[in-house]
Amino acid sequence: FGPAMTLHDAASNASIDTSSHETIVSLLQDVYKDCPSGFGSDFTDANIDFMILQYGEVTYAGMDSLFTALKLGPDDVFYDLGSGTGKLVLYVALRRQLAVQESLCVGLEVGEKRHRSAQTACANIRDKLGSQCPAVSMLLQDISRFRFADASVVVLTNLCMNMAIQNRTLENLLKCPSFKRIVCITPLPNPRLKPAGIEKVSCTWAKCSSWHIYDVLTHEEALQLRKTSTTMQCTPLRRVSSAPALSREETIHGVVSRLYTIKQKQQTLDALPHVQQPLSLTNPICKIDPAFPQTTFASVLSWGLQTTNKPVHQKVSVHPTWQTRGQSVGKAASKRGRHAKVSSAAFGRVVV
């Protein structure tokens, strides 16, 4: 952004090199030492959800990486939406050497206490730098109702914002003809926003927070990108396997052969005898109610699985597999020293 600019401290008549990150941080720490902190409760007259007034700041170390991600040009107007006490706005203003570039940095904040703190910091830096103070504006505004006329690059702290406020704010921003880039915390899905990267930024709520960078597309560019994406999605997939592709006749023949094999297996199973021998009363597998001596353990088990309304003493024809499972359950119960008891009052329910 041109040669480094040297400012003079109006109070001590000392030079300040604004090209150095460490020098700017030292200057801001001196400016904010008597300003109220932005943390804690705040209030506003705007009709908004008070959850939005939750507060957090980008650390001085995070401001350095965030400034690099903004890629500000000489004529870009910077907006910080949810600027709090205005630290990021003043940092960007000093880093851009606004006294030479003659561009503006604007901070919008809805919390009245934090806005007063930002105004106090601006007054302190004007007293310190005098006529060489960069062009900075701190406004008490609801960002979702503000009309942007000159915004170029925007930082949106939308961590605690609901989607309604985000959508209204983005709608107002997209009406601005000079709007070209936005950096935010949580993603902003919109056809006119093209993801341009993610920047790791140090904040008070996280040592390393991922901020999303979007480039703003025109209506024509967004429409063309949408057509390209649709064309790519509709492109048929090509085979990449080295195995030979089956013809239509071979595929149909394979399906028919498989169905025929399944039918043969079913016919074989249907031909098996389904006669089940009743269990003896002395069999330790289960105890049978004497009123229904013909009831088998397998028939009772199948009655419970099929959930029919048949009485428990009726024979139910089941597959031998169920009989095997029933005997396995009975043997397992016998090993534990318990028995399965079937009574007429239980209506077929097996109680172990």
Side-chain angles (χ1 to χ4, degrees):
F1 305 117
M5 186 182 81
T6 301
L7 301 179
H8 292 275
D9 190 340
S12 60
N13 198 24
S15 61
I16 300 174
D17 183 11
T18 58
S19 64
S20 172
H21 167 74
E22 291 77 10
T23 305
I24 295 176
V25 170
S26 177
L27 175 61
L28 291 179
Q29 288 175 344
D30 187 30
V31 167
Y32 278 92
K33 65 181 180 180
D34 296 328
C35 296
S37 171
F39 294 95
S41 60
D42 204 342
F43 61 93
T44 178
D45 291 335
N47 185 20
I48 61 174
D49 184 5
F50 277 87
M51 284 297 296
I52 301 175
L53 296 177
Q54 299 294 325
Y55 190 70
E57 291 180 348
V58 179
T59 63
Y60 289 120
M63 291 179 187
D64 188 19
S65 57
L66 186 58
F67 178 80
T68 305
L70 294 176
K71 299 179 181 179
L72 292 162
D75 299 326
D76 290 338
V77 178
F78 171 72
Y79 272 76
D80 184 9
L81 306 185
S83 57
T85 57
K87 290 182 180 179
L88 180 61
V89 179
L90 291 177
Y91 177 87
V92 172
L94 292 172
R95 281 289 297 265
R96 294 183 65 197
Q97 307 166 7
L98 295 181
V100 174
Q101 296 181 6
E102 297 182 357
S103 296
L104 181 64
C105 286
V106 182
L108 300 185
E109 174 59 38
V110 72
E112 297 187 13
K113 186 183 75 172
R114 294 160 190 159
H115 174 66
R116 286 200 300 266
S117 179
Q119 287 182 320
T120 303
C122 287
N124 292 342
I125 202 169
R126 289 192 186 99
D127 294 339
K128 197 171 186 63
L129 300 180
S131 60
Q132 292 183 320
C133 180
V136 177
S137 178
M138 301 292 182
L139 303 178
L140 181 64
Q141 290 286 342
D142 180 1
I143 63 173
S144 64
R145 293 178 171 85
F146 188 78
R147 297 297 179 261
F148 302 91
D150 55 355
S152 301
V153 181
V154 175
V155 168
L156 176 62
T157 310
N158 58 340
L159 184 61
C160 296
M161 290 183 187
N162 57 47
M163 289 304 300
I165 293 180
Q166 294 185 50
N167 292 336
R168 288 200 302 266
T169 303
L170 185 57
E171 182 181 356
N172 294 336
L173 282 170
L174 292 174
K175 294 177 181 178
C176 180
S178 60
F179 181 43
K180 68 177 186 179
R181 185 175 299 112
I182 184 170
V183 181
C184 56
I185 305 175
T186 59
L188 286 176
N190 190 280
R192 289 188 59 189
L193 296 183
K194 180 182 178 181
I198 294 178
E199 185 69 25
K200 303 294 184 180
V201 180
S202 175
C203 306
T204 55
W205 63 86
K207 292 183 179 179
C208 186
S209 176
S210 297
W211 289 59
H212 300 263
I213 306 170
Y214 294 95
D215 289 335
V216 181
L217 304 176
T218 62
H219 289 285
E220 294 75 13
E221 291 173 341
L223 183 60
Q224 183 63 30
L225 181 62
R226 184 176 180 180
K227 290 181 179 179
T228 305
S229 302
T230 306
T231 304
M232 293 178 61
Q233 292 175 1
C234 297
T235 303
L237 299 177
R238 296 182 179 179
R239 289 179 54 85
V240 295
S241 174
S242 58
L246 297 176
S247 64
R248 179 181 177 86
E249 292 76 11
E250 291 174 337
T251 304
I252 295 176
H253 178 72
V255 173
V256 172
S257 300
R258 186 178 178 184
L259 293 176
Y260 182 73
T261 304
I262 295 174
K263 184 177 180 181
Q264 281 185 327
K265 290 182 179 180
Q266 186 64 36
Q267 291 176 350
T268 304
L269 293 176
D270 292 341
L272 293 176
H274 291 191
V275 179
Q276 303 180 24
Q277 299 297 328
L279 299 177
S280 174
L281 296 177
T282 59
N283 193 328
I285 293 179
C286 64
K287 294 181 180 181
I288 307 298
D289 196 320
F292 307 99
Q294 297 300 320
T295 302
T296 64
F297 185 85
S299 64
V300 172
L301 181 62
S302 66
W303 184 90
L305 292 173
Q306 295 177 2
T307 61
T308 62
N309 294 325
K310 297 180 181 181
V312 70
H313 61 274
Q314 281 188 329
K315 286 295 293 296
V316 181
S317 178
V318 295
H319 194 273
T321 305
W322 293 114
Q323 185 176 7
T324 305
R325 292 183 181 178
Q327 292 175 357
S328 300
V329 173
K331 290 179 182 179
S334 178
K335 289 181 180 179
R336 295 196 301 268
R338 302 177 181 177
H339 300 283
K341 182 178 180 180
V342 180
S343 64
S344 59
F347 289 100
R349 183 175 59 184
V350 180
V351 182
V352 179

XYZ file of all heavy atoms in Angstrom, residues 214-247:
264
model
N -15.553 -14.670 1.601
C -16.395 -14.796 0.405
C -16.128 -13.615 -0.526
O -16.033 -12.463 -0.079
C -17.878 -14.802 0.768
C -18.328 -16.000 1.577
C -18.400 -15.929 2.964
C -18.701 -17.195 0.955
C -18.815 -17.015 3.710
C -19.119 -18.281 1.699
C -19.172 -18.186 3.073
O -19.585 -19.271 3.811
N -16.022 -13.933 -1.807
C -16.009 -12.904 -2.848
C -17.429 -12.744 -3.391
O -18.141 -13.734 -3.599
C -15.057 -13.290 -3.981
C -13.603 -13.206 -3.552
O -13.301 -12.448 -2.612
O -12.765 -13.912 -4.150
N -17.828 -11.509 -3.625
C -19.190 -11.211 -4.065
C -19.243 -11.268 -5.587
O -18.427 -10.644 -6.283
C -19.643 -9.833 -3.559
C -21.075 -9.546 -4.006
C -19.544 -9.780 -2.040
N -20.206 -12.028 -6.101
C -20.402 -12.159 -7.537
C -21.532 -11.234 -8.001
O -22.456 -10.927 -7.230
C -20.749 -13.602 -7.912
C -19.760 -14.694 -7.471
C -20.305 -16.063 -7.837
C -18.397 -14.477 -8.096
N -21.468 -10.830 -9.262
C -22.584 -10.101 -9.849
C -23.707 -11.091 -10.171
O -23.533 -12.311 -10.082
C -22.141 -9.379 -11.129
O -21.704 -10.362 -12.087
C -20.996 -8.416 -10.821
N -24.867 -10.575 -10.544
C -25.991 -11.449 -10.886
C -25.633 -12.336 -12.081
O -25.976 -13.526 -12.103
C -27.235 -10.604 -11.200
C -27.827 -9.944 -10.001
N -28.569 -10.628 -9.057
C -27.772 -8.643 -9.585
C -28.961 -9.783 -8.107
N -28.504 -8.578 -8.403
N -24.935 -11.769 -13.069
C -24.563 -12.562 -14.248
C -23.559 -13.651 -13.891
O -23.662 -14.789 -14.355
C -23.989 -11.646 -15.337
C -24.989 -10.654 -15.920
C -25.275 -9.494 -14.978
O -24.522 -9.337 -13.984
O -26.250 -8.744 -15.234
N -22.576 -13.326 -13.051
C -21.575 -14.320 -12.645
C -22.210 -15.433 -11.816
O -21.866 -16.608 -11.977
C -20.464 -13.646 -11.851
C -19.598 -12.715 -12.674
C -18.615 -11.940 -11.821
O -18.842 -11.850 -10.590
O -17.632 -11.411 -12.370
N -23.137 -15.070 -10.938
C -23.813 -16.084 -10.134
C -24.657 -17.009 -11.003
O -24.694 -18.226 -10.788
C -24.684 -15.415 -9.071
N -25.343 -16.453 -12.006
C -26.159 -17.261 -12.909
C -25.291 -18.202 -13.736
O -25.620 -19.377 -13.929
C -26.989 -16.355 -13.816
C -27.955 -17.055 -14.784
C -28.967 -17.883 -14.008
C -28.654 -16.035 -15.661
N -24.156 -17.700 -14.227
C -23.250 -18.527 -15.018
C -22.652 -19.649 -14.164
O -22.523 -20.794 -14.617
C -22.134 -17.654 -15.593
C -21.160 -18.402 -16.494
C -21.839 -18.964 -17.740
O -22.812 -18.383 -18.219
N -21.327 -20.070 -18.244
N -22.295 -19.337 -12.912
C -21.755 -20.358 -12.013
C -22.795 -21.417 -11.706
O -22.484 -22.611 -11.621
C -21.268 -19.695 -10.722
C -20.650 -20.626 -9.674
C -19.402 -21.307 -10.227
C -20.322 -19.856 -8.397
N -24.050 -20.998 -11.572
C -25.114 -21.960 -11.305
C -25.331 -22.880 -12.500
O -25.534 -24.089 -12.340
C -26.402 -21.221 -10.964
C -27.561 -22.121 -10.583
C -28.767 -21.312 -10.173
N -29.885 -22.166 -9.808
C -31.060 -21.716 -9.408
N -31.268 -20.405 -9.307
N -32.028 -22.550 -9.093
N -25.273 -22.334 -13.725
C -25.426 -23.160 -14.915
C -24.285 -24.165 -15.039
O -24.487 -25.328 -15.382
C -25.488 -22.282 -16.157
C -26.763 -21.467 -16.291
C -26.746 -20.636 -17.558
C -28.039 -19.839 -17.716
N -28.020 -19.007 -18.947
N -23.083 -23.725 -14.734
C -21.923 -24.614 -14.804
C -22.040 -25.737 -13.795
O -21.758 -26.902 -14.096
C -20.636 -23.812 -14.556
O -20.568 -22.727 -15.479
C -19.416 -24.698 -14.716
N -22.482 -25.408 -12.579
C -22.636 -26.437 -11.549
C -23.713 -27.438 -11.945
O -23.560 -28.641 -11.758
C -22.978 -25.788 -10.204
O -21.986 -24.865 -9.835
N -24.823 -26.970 -12.527
C -25.897 -27.868 -12.955
C -25.433 -28.786 -14.074
O -25.748 -29.981 -14.094
C -27.116 -27.050 -13.413
O -27.500 -26.147 -12.379
C -28.282 -27.963 -13.750
N -24.645 -28.254 -15.002
C -24.130 -29.073 -16.097
C -23.199 -30.151 -15.580
O -23.246 -31.300 -16.021
C -23.392 -28.190 -17.114
O -24.277 -27.162 -17.558
C -22.922 -29.008 -18.298
N -22.368 -29.808 -14.610
C -21.441 -30.797 -14.047
C -22.188 -31.883 -13.301
O -21.817 -33.059 -13.328
C -20.454 -30.099 -13.122
C -19.496 -29.161 -13.829
S -18.390 -28.315 -12.695
C -17.529 -29.713 -11.982
N -23.295 -31.521 -12.614
C -24.058 -32.515 -11.875
C -24.798 -33.451 -12.817
O -25.000 -34.624 -12.503
C -25.050 -31.816 -10.945
C -24.388 -31.054 -9.810
C -25.385 -30.286 -8.972
O -26.585 -30.330 -9.234
N -24.895 -29.579 -7.964
N -25.211 -32.978 -14.005
C -25.982 -33.798 -14.937
C -25.093 -34.621 -15.872
O -25.607 -35.412 -16.653
C -26.909 -32.920 -15.773
S -28.159 -32.050 -14.795
N -23.781 -34.437 -15.826
C -22.879 -35.195 -16.691
C -22.871 -36.651 -16.264
O -22.652 -36.949 -15.085
C -21.459 -34.628 -16.620
O -21.492 -33.250 -16.977
C -20.525 -35.403 -17.541
N -23.158 -37.618 -17.180
C -23.179 -39.026 -16.782
C -21.795 -39.507 -16.374
O -20.773 -39.071 -16.913
C -23.667 -39.741 -18.051
C -23.340 -38.809 -19.167
C -23.457 -37.426 -18.603
N -21.773 -40.418 -15.416
C -20.515 -40.966 -14.928
C -19.976 -41.995 -15.909
O -20.734 -42.759 -16.516
C -20.723 -41.615 -13.545
C -21.208 -40.677 -12.443
C -21.430 -41.458 -11.159
C -20.207 -39.566 -12.211
N -18.690 -42.016 -16.065
C -18.043 -42.977 -16.935
C -17.435 -44.107 -16.112
O -17.008 -43.903 -14.983
C -16.953 -42.291 -17.755
C -17.480 -41.217 -18.711
C -16.340 -40.614 -19.519
N -16.835 -39.616 -20.455
C -16.046 -38.934 -21.269
N -14.733 -39.136 -21.261
N -16.571 -38.046 -22.092
N -17.414 -45.290 -16.734
C -16.835 -46.434 -16.046
C -15.321 -46.270 -15.979
O -14.665 -45.929 -16.966
C -17.170 -47.741 -16.779
C -18.622 -48.157 -16.664
C -18.860 -49.444 -17.437
N -17.949 -50.488 -17.034
C -18.138 -51.302 -15.994
N -19.214 -51.159 -15.268
N -17.261 -52.236 -15.692
N -14.780 -46.512 -14.794
C -13.335 -46.468 -14.610
C -12.785 -47.831 -14.228
O -11.589 -47.978 -14.007
C -12.955 -45.434 -13.517
C -13.328 -44.027 -13.958
C -13.642 -45.770 -12.202
N -13.670 -48.823 -14.138
C -13.236 -50.166 -13.767
C -12.660 -50.881 -14.988
O -13.078 -50.668 -16.122
C -14.419 -50.966 -13.196
O -14.028 -52.298 -12.964
N -11.682 -51.765 -14.745
C -11.090 -52.542 -15.823
C -11.907 -53.779 -16.166
O -11.632 -54.455 -17.154
C -9.671 -52.979 -15.423
O -9.714 -53.746 -14.226
N -12.929 -54.112 -15.358
C -13.762 -55.282 -15.624
C -14.657 -55.006 -16.829
O -15.132 -53.872 -17.025
C -14.617 -55.622 -14.398
N -14.908 -56.023 -17.679
C -15.755 -55.806 -18.855
C -17.196 -55.549 -18.457
O -17.710 -56.113 -17.490
C -15.622 -57.119 -19.633
C -15.243 -58.135 -18.609
C -14.398 -57.404 -17.602
N -17.862 -54.648 -19.173
C -19.257 -54.324 -18.895
C -20.163 -55.414 -19.454
O -19.920 -55.955 -20.536
C -19.608 -52.973 -19.515
N -21.221 -55.752 -18.698
C -22.175 -56.765 -19.134
C -23.169 -56.153 -20.104
O -23.580 -54.992 -19.960
C -22.908 -57.351 -17.932
C -22.041 -58.113 -16.908
C -22.905 -58.546 -15.747
C -21.354 -59.303 -17.543
N -23.582 -56.929 -21.089
C -24.608 -56.488 -22.017
C -25.976 -56.578 -21.355
O -26.121 -57.151 -20.270
C -24.584 -57.345 -23.287
O -24.906 -58.694 -22.975
